[in-house]
């Protein structure tokens, strides 16, 4: 490196929970992972509440997430919740639509199933029905990305995971993903990509269950001229049977553990040391 080269940007990571259910141990590990990467680099650790799923998001839980992070000994800067950023999602969708990259889709789940769609990375891969025959303007519609057209525009793209190494962005497991939902102002993919850029996130950390979603995010970054972060996907905590921890399988809510007087710092230390055993 020469004296004139730019210093690398300061590291910024974030924990971005969707408060659709109580915070559990898997969230704790995700938050600690992001926090520790930022702290080790002298960078910033952000909290962003991802609350645009009107049907599932529970505002009453948001403060619990904060209290649990405090209890685990983490410090963060909180950035605005997704529900305050709807205008930026709409602007990006308008921009993509004006370039002919989105199309309206009125299909129901049943119609997609009946069209013989095959299973992809996140459910059925959309068979393209509405791309070929214009959707009824009177019906509620989602907006889908025309993946073929998008890929022609951006060409070959590489994204980098700190653990897994470089990968070529590949949408074949997704097809034409929804960017604007029928029932929400943006899909997870559009919102998270815009927000990570707006918040200056330099290392996107999250569970390995969302690894392949980064293919989509990389394409959206290229389409929208956004900076490209590094990614670092982490292993998921497993229960004693080797299944992903989730509240619905009986993983105790962290707030119950906090309120019962358990030592949050000790739990955080245990997760750092031996995370796969901590769920027991
Ligand atoms: N909000 C998402 C979730 O709780 C995670 C977002 C992300 O880290 O990309 O599952
Ligand atoms: Zn459709």
């Amino acid at each position: 490196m020469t004296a004139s080269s730019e210093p690398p940007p300061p590291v910024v990571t974030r924990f971005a929970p969707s408060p659709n259910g109580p915070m559990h141990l898997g969230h704790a590990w995700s938050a600690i992972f992001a926090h520790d990467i930022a702290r080790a680099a002298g960078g910033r650790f952000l909290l962003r509440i991802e609350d645009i799923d009107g049907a599932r998001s529970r505002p009453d839980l948001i403060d619990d997430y904060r209290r649990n992070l405090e209890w685990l000994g983490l410090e963060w800067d909180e950035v605005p919740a997704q529900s305050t950023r709807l205008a930026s999602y709409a602007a990006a969708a308008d921009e993509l639509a004006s370039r002919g990259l989105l199309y309206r889709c009125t299909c129901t789940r049943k119609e997609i199933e009946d069209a013989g769609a095959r299973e992809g990375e996140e459910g059925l891969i959309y068979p393209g029905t509405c791309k070929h025959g214009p959707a009824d303007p009177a019906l509620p519609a989602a907006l889908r990305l025309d993946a073929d057209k998008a890929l022609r525009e951006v060409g070959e793209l590489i994204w980098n995971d700190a653990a897994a190494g470089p990968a070529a962005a590949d949408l074949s497991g997704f097809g034409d993903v929804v960017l604007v939902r029928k029932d929400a102002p943006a899909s997870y993919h559009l919102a998270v990509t815009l927000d990570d850029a707006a918040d200056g996130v330099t290392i996107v950390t999250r569970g390995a269950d969302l690894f392949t979603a980064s293919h989509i995010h990389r394409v959206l970054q290229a389409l929208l001229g956004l900076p490209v972060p590094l990614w670092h996907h982490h292993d998921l905590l497993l229960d004693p049977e080797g299944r992903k921890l989730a509240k619905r399988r009986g993983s105790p809510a962290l707030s119950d553990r906090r309120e019962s007087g358990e030592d949050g710092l000790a739990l955080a230390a245990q997760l750092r040391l031996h995370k796969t055993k901590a769920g027991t």
Side-chain angles (χ1 to χ4, degrees):
M1 198 183 270
T2 64
S4 62
S5 58
E6 295 280 319
V11 167
V12 180
T13 67
R14 65 8 176 222
F15 172 52
S18 304
N20 300 338
M23 183 167 170
H24 58 72
L25 212 50
H27 292 110
W29 173 237
S30 223
I32 292 169
F33 186 84
H35 168 273
D36 288 4
I37 287 177
R39 288 293 170 262
R44 292 178 74 206
F45 169 60
L46 310 179
L47 170 65
R48 183 178 66 232
I49 301 295
E50 304 213 318
D51 58 347
I52 47 167
D53 191 332
R56 295 172 68 213
S57 188
R58 290 186 41 195
D60 59 302
L61 289 177
I62 295 174
D63 215 43
D64 246 19
Y65 277 73
R66 297 191 189 103
R67 297 292 79 79
N68 290 331
L69 294 175
E70 248 165 40
W71 174 66
L72 292 164
L74 308 185
E75 285 178 17
W76 66 91
D77 293 328
E78 185 160 350
V79 292
Q82 286 192 326
S83 55
T84 68
R85 304 185 190 213
L86 307 188
S88 79
Y89 310 148
D94 284 351
E95 151 81 19
L96 295 174
S98 74
R99 285 154 55 191
L101 289 163
L102 304 185
Y103 63 88
R104 294 178 74 254
C105 170
T106 56
C107 295
T108 60
R109 193 182 156 78
K110 169 110 180 36
E111 284 168 334
I112 296 174
E113 279 165 11
D114 291 350
R118 69 187 168 87
E119 199 62 43
E121 296 285 352
E122 53 176 21
L124 297 174
I125 297 181
Y126 183 64
T129 323
C130 296
K131 183 172 161 180
H132 306 298
D136 181 343
L139 291 175
L143 294 179
R144 290 185 180 274
L145 179 69
D146 183 331
D148 288 339
K149 199 165 178 184
L151 290 174
R152 276 199 303 277
E153 209 171 282
V154 297
E156 172 142 301
L157 299 170
I158 301 293
W159 60 277
N160 257 291
D161 181 273
D170 176 5
L171 297 187
S172 59
F174 294 94
D176 293 350
V177 288
V178 169
L179 294 189
V180 179
R181 289 166 44 169
K182 279 182 196 169
D183 61 345
S187 68
Y188 157 68
H189 299 301
L190 181 62
V192 82
T193 303
L194 290 167
D195 292 348
D196 282 338
D199 295 338
V201 173
T202 62
I203 307 181
V204 173
T205 65
R206 58 178 163 235
D209 53 337
L210 285 170
F211 184 89
T212 57
S214 303
H215 289 293
I216 302 170
H217 306 170
R218 180 68 189 89
V219 171
L220 292 176
Q221 285 154 3
L223 290 172
L224 292 165
L226 303 174
V228 181
L230 177 67
W231 281 262
H232 196 163
H233 293 88
H234 61 76
D235 290 345
L236 300 178
L237 289 186
L238 302 177
D239 70 11
E241 281 79 51
R243 294 170 307 196
K244 184 184 159 189
L245 276 186
K247 175 69 180 151
R248 63 183 174 279
R249 299 202 195 95
S251 161
L254 277 191
S255 45
D256 293 343
R257 298 176 68 158
R258 171 170 54 83
E259 283 160 12
S260 76
E262 185 176 336
D263 181 346
L265 297 182
L267 175 61
Q270 191 190 0
L271 282 168
R272 287 183 173 107
L273 271 178
H274 205 44
K275 60 186 174 58
T276 52
K277 293 266 167 66
T280 55

